Amino acid sequence: MKRRNFFALLLSLLPLLTLAQTSPGHRIAGQIRGLKDTTVVLAHFQYDATHYVPKDTARVDASGNFVFQGKKPLPEGVYLVVLPKGNYFQLVLAEQRFSFETDTTDFMTNMKVVGSVENAAFYGYQQKISKIYEAIQRAEKEPKTETSAQRVKELQTQARTYRADFLAQNKSLLTSKIFLASAEPDVPALPKAANGRPDSLWQFNYYKNHFWDNFDLTDDRMLRTPLLQPKVDRYMKELTVQQVDSLAKEADYLIAKAGSAKDMKTYLIWYITSQYERPKVLGTDGLFIHMIEKYWLTRQMPNIDSATLKTVSERVAVLKPLQVGKTFVMPVVGDTLARPLSFNNLAAADYTVMFFYAPHCGHCREAAPKVKKFTDSPAGKGVRVVAIAIEDAVDEWKKFIREFKLGSWMHGYDHKQQIDFRRQYDVATTPTVYVLDRNKKIIARGLPAEDVENFLNFTRKQTALATPVKLGTSKTKVGGR
């Protein structure tokens, strides 16, 4: 009778047990010795180490106990438990229900985890590696002998072996993905170039070609780590030639590597686009155009409304004719006598500086004398300036010309007030500077006015290096018969 009742009771409890194991939501219980009567925050990293998204808060009792709990599961990734005074430690969230305990004296060393394979592995690895490196540090402080040197090598080998074994035995864990993604490519010994020296170009190419080997861009969880954005920045801004064709090729490569990971693909499209609308490297905003046309206007960038599409489409229409290499089109403006302005009226120039400004603008008033000082100097020979006032009254414009003694410049003004300079010539701030070559092709846009002299000096040197030396014909025989 008792046995029957026991099985009947067990049968009645099965639905409750199943519900307890599979119920949605999250419950993360913690105890931090040395912490009491305060509030802690649970937040996940977002793209890099400086951005994070709070997901839950909990009140800590007098014994250091607290619980993060909610009806919805948390997105998986690397989380921070943020304490008062800027203290924090990390958790790998791939399970929704687990507990841990630690101590404020050393979060990592004292961490114990129950119910989370990920965090047991995450902290077990760090605790083991930490002990090995502490032993290395002790050995390195000993007197330098063959024995101590050998001991250091053995410990280093032990660390490498432990890491390799850990990764091999825990391939399915998010923890392993994070450790792999944080490592640099392992570059083999350098081959020698034809001159017998180590081939540094081979080293660079190998490093770049294997840069993403251990970073799984098909896993959306990697968005919620501190690793992604710095790695994208390094690849695009440091390992890739800063020319539009090269940048577009690498951007397409990264986006393709995301595969069917919708959130990852969306982020890569958005982030790369955002970095190249107004890039730090002159002439690379063509990548912005490429991204908009290939991914946004074709709706590969999801959840974009028609208003946003219209905005970015108009932005591309503004930028396309203003790219480096395009012929600059003179605005339909007039001089101080309202006569049409034309490049034909400009004295022959190796370079032309287009200086868009507002007479009342403080920065313009600082920049104009600096540009004038350069163009009036011997270094400015062959450089002409076309200054176009985009706003203010005619009297203010003419006063500006007289005040800064800019009579040697060509001046233009929209007497009919018909031109939207901000849209047509991308004059978002004043002054906005373009530099044109002798054929009036754009070689720089958005150049800071104070950098005009340095830019042109550099450009002249590069042009001289690229120009083949013409050998003169001589009737003098140097050798031979």
Side-chain angles (χ1 to χ4, degrees):
M1 186 70 178
K2 290 181 180 178
R3 185 176 181 181
R4 187 183 308 152
N5 288 343
F6 170 76
F7 280 108
L9 177 62
L10 181 61
L11 186 64
S12 68
L13 288 175
L14 276 176
L16 296 177
L17 292 171
T18 303
L19 180 63
Q21 293 172 359
T22 62
S23 59
H26 64 275
R27 188 181 190 281
I28 302 168
Q31 181 187 37
I32 303 176
R33 294 179 294 277
L35 189 71
K36 63 179 181 179
D37 301 328
T38 187
T39 299
V40 291
V41 177
L42 183 67
H44 65 69
F45 284 107
Q46 188 81 341
Y47 316 137
D48 66 12
T50 63
H51 295 88
Y52 55 88
V53 179
K55 301 301 290 187
D56 204 348
T57 59
R59 189 66 188 170
V60 182
D61 67 17
S63 300
N65 297 300
F66 58 92
V67 178
F68 296 115
Q69 187 166 2
K71 294 181 179 180
K72 294 182 179 180
L74 296 169
E76 297 181 14
V78 181
Y79 278 68
L80 299 168
V81 177
V82 184
L83 284 61
K85 298 181 180 180
N87 293 319
Y88 66 90
F89 57 89
Q90 297 180 9
L91 294 174
V92 176
L93 203 145
E95 301 108 332
Q96 298 291 327
R97 294 173 176 271
F98 61 92
S99 63
F100 65 86
E101 62 178 80
T102 186
D103 194 298
T104 54
T105 58
D106 190 328
F107 297 121
M108 186 270 290
T109 301
N110 297 311
M111 180 65 71
K112 295 179 181 178
V113 182
V114 176
S116 171
V117 174
E118 289 281 0
N119 284 288
F122 183 68
Y123 277 98
Y125 176 89
Q126 293 181 78
Q127 289 163 356
K128 176 67 173 179
I129 287 292
S130 178
K131 289 179 180 178
I132 296 174
Y133 279 108
E134 286 173 3
I136 291 174
Q137 289 176 348
R138 288 194 299 270
E140 289 177 336
K141 290 179 181 178
E142 296 175 359
K144 301 296 181 183
T145 64
E146 186 176 335
T147 302
S148 64
Q150 182 62 31
R151 176 60 177 157
V152 170
K153 288 182 180 179
E154 290 174 355
L155 288 167
Q156 290 172 339
T157 300
Q158 182 182 343
R160 288 193 295 269
T161 302
Y162 175 74
R163 175 182 171 82
D165 290 345
F166 176 91
L167 294 173
Q169 295 166 10
N170 296 281
K171 290 181 179 180
S172 62
L173 296 185
L174 175 57
T175 295
S176 293
K177 283 192 175 185
I178 293 165
F179 288 156
L180 282 169
S182 63
E184 292 282 291
D186 187 9
V187 181
L190 292 181
K192 291 185 178 180
N195 59 10
R197 296 177 180 175
D199 190 344
S200 58
L201 182 60
W202 180 92
Q203 181 184 38
F204 173 83
N205 288 332
Y206 184 96
Y207 180 87
K208 181 182 177 184
N209 291 338
H210 293 270
F211 191 72
W212 293 100
D213 282 2
N214 293 318
F215 198 111
D216 187 0
L217 288 172
T218 66
D219 190 337
D220 282 333
R221 295 178 299 179
M222 299 304 289
L223 290 163
R224 292 175 288 278
T225 73
L227 305 173
L228 178 60
Q229 191 164 300
K231 201 165 180 79
V232 173
D233 282 341
R234 176 154 171 71
Y235 188 75
M236 294 297 297
K237 299 176 182 179
E238 298 179 29
L239 301 181
T240 300
V241 177
Q242 296 299 289
Q243 296 175 350
V244 174
D245 289 346
S246 297
L247 289 166
K249 176 184 174 182
E250 301 301 349
D252 292 345
Y253 166 74
L254 288 183
I255 292 164
K257 278 187 73 68
S260 60
K262 182 179 177 181
D263 292 344
M264 179 66 76
K265 184 176 181 179
T266 299
Y267 166 76
L268 290 171
I269 293 171
W270 167 81
Y271 183 66
I272 295 172
T273 303
S274 71
Q275 294 299 291
Y276 286 88
E277 180 181 6
R278 296 191 181 278
K280 293 181 180 179
V281 178
L282 294 174
T284 58
D285 55 355
L287 179 58
F288 172 83
I289 295 172
H290 169 82
M291 297 297 292
I292 295 297
E293 291 185 333
K294 182 165 184 175
Y295 298 106
W296 294 64
L297 300 184
T298 60
R299 293 187 179 273
Q300 292 189 57
M301 179 71 171
N303 303 321
I304 301 299
D305 57 43
S306 57
T308 301
L309 283 177
K310 182 175 183 293
T311 299
V312 296
S313 179
E314 290 173 350
R315 180 69 180 147
V316 166
V318 169
L319 291 178
K320 256 192 160 179
L322 303 176
Q323 295 299 289
V324 168
K326 297 286 188 180
T327 300
F328 186 86
V329 178
M330 175 71 83
V332 181
V333 293
D335 63 13
T336 54
L337 299 176
R339 295 173 302 192
L341 212 62
S342 169
F343 284 131
N344 295 330
N345 302 333
L346 190 67
D350 294 327
Y351 300 99
T352 302
V353 175
M354 300 297 301
F355 187 83
F356 291 91
Y357 73 103
H360 73 275
C361 156
H363 192 190
C364 302
R365 297 177 68 81
E366 293 176 2
K370 294 178 182 177
V371 176
K372 181 181 185 300
K373 182 180 179 180
F374 163 61
T375 55
D376 287 351
S377 72
K381 183 179 179 181
V383 180
R384 300 288 181 264
V385 180
V386 178
I388 297 177
I390 68 166
E391 54 189 48
D392 293 346
V394 171
D395 290 344
E396 292 296 318
W397 167 51
K398 292 181 178 180
K399 179 182 177 183
F400 183 93
I401 297 171
R402 293 193 302 270
E403 180 180 352
F404 293 104
K405 299 179 175 58
L406 303 177
S408 61
W409 293 7
M410 179 181 283
H411 295 277
Y413 185 82
D414 181 15
H415 294 276
K416 296 182 179 180
Q417 300 294 298
Q418 294 178 337
I419 302 172
D420 185 346
F421 289 99
R422 298 186 187 280
R423 291 177 63 86
Q424 193 169 336
Y425 290 93
D426 194 35
V427 183
T429 59
T430 53
T432 289
V433 173
Y434 287 74
V435 180
L436 318 179
D437 67 10
R438 64 172 60 248
N439 298 312
K440 303 302 178 282
K441 289 186 180 295
I442 300 168
I443 59 174
R445 178 174 65 83
L447 184 70
E450 56 270 21
D451 291 342
V452 168
E453 180 175 1
N454 289 338
F455 173 80
L456 285 174
N457 288 340
F458 175 79
T459 302
R460 281 169 165 157
K461 289 178 182 177
Q462 294 298 107
T463 302
L465 290 173
T467 303
V469 177
K470 294 183 179 180
L471 299 175
T473 57
S474 174
K475 296 181 180 179
T476 304
K477 289 186 178 182
V478 178
R481 292 181 294 177

